[in-house]
Amino acid sequence: GHLFLYCFGPSRNFIFDVIPSLYSAYFIFEPLGYAFFIIGLMIAGLSMFILGQSWRIGVDEETPGPLVQVGFYKYVRHPLYTGAFLCLFGSLLIVPNFLSFLLVLCCFMGFVTEATLEEQFLLQKYPREYESYMERTGRFLPIGLFSKE
């Protein structure tokens, strides 16, 4: 709630003048932002490394490379996007403004769109194997991460 109000306020001073308790809560956002940014950067970088020959920008129909199901990819189909999103979310916490919020929102929509296109292609390229892979992995987070099952 605090971050939301902070992002949409006309100016930092105006919001903190109207609701002074926000300022005392804000100090935690920046360190959390750096933590999310660094963790996201590590996840994205390691994901690219794990992909090896299969790493592409977009869908490469001519030379797609082998299907990778090790490392992060054993649990999540798109950990690179998860890492990139964590970087962006961390940036939002570090620099909480409306432009940062729009960037995170637009990039997330782009990640979902690109993941959908990649999955459609991979279902055509590796029909049985990728369908089985989809059943046991989450798209951006591991299956069961937030459930008791």
Side-chain angles (χ1 to χ4, degrees):
H2 294 289
L3 182 62
F4 181 80
L5 289 173
Y6 185 82
C7 287
F8 294 99
S11 75
R12 259 169 85 152
N13 295 333
F14 173 77
I15 288 295
F16 291 142
D17 289 344
V18 174
I19 310 170
S21 66
L22 283 179
Y23 186 77
S24 62
Y26 173 71
F27 80 95
I28 194 69
F29 291 156
E30 190 174 2
L32 278 175
Y34 284 111
F36 276 113
F37 187 87
I38 291 167
I39 291 168
L41 197 59
M42 290 177 8
I43 290 171
L46 287 171
S47 296
M48 288 171 55
F49 178 76
I50 292 167
L51 277 176
Q53 295 177 350
S54 294
W55 188 80
R56 306 278 189 284
I57 295 177
V59 174
D60 184 356
E61 295 182 16
E62 293 178 22
T63 55
L67 184 61
V68 176
Q69 299 180 47
V70 297
F72 296 135
Y73 292 90
K74 185 175 181 178
Y75 308 101
V76 179
R77 296 190 301 274
H78 304 281
L80 201 150
Y81 296 145
T82 302
F85 179 77
L86 287 174
C87 284
L88 288 167
F89 182 71
S91 298
L92 175 63
L93 293 178
I94 296 166
V95 182
N97 60 39
F98 186 67
L99 186 59
S100 296
F101 176 78
L102 282 180
L103 177 67
V104 170
L105 185 64
C106 290
C107 286
F108 179 73
M109 292 184 328
F111 294 154
V112 170
T113 301
E114 186 61 27
T116 302
L117 293 173
E118 288 175 8
E119 289 178 351
Q120 289 172 353
F121 170 74
L122 291 168
L123 278 169
Q124 290 175 353
K125 183 75 177 165
Y126 310 99
R128 290 188 193 110
E129 191 177 4
Y130 199 76
E131 190 173 330
S132 170
Y133 178 61
M134 288 177 77
E135 289 174 5
R136 64 180 187 274
T137 59
R139 184 177 246 184
F140 299 113
L141 296 173
I143 291 177
L145 183 64
F146 296 106
S147 67
K148 295 180 183 179
E149 299 176 340

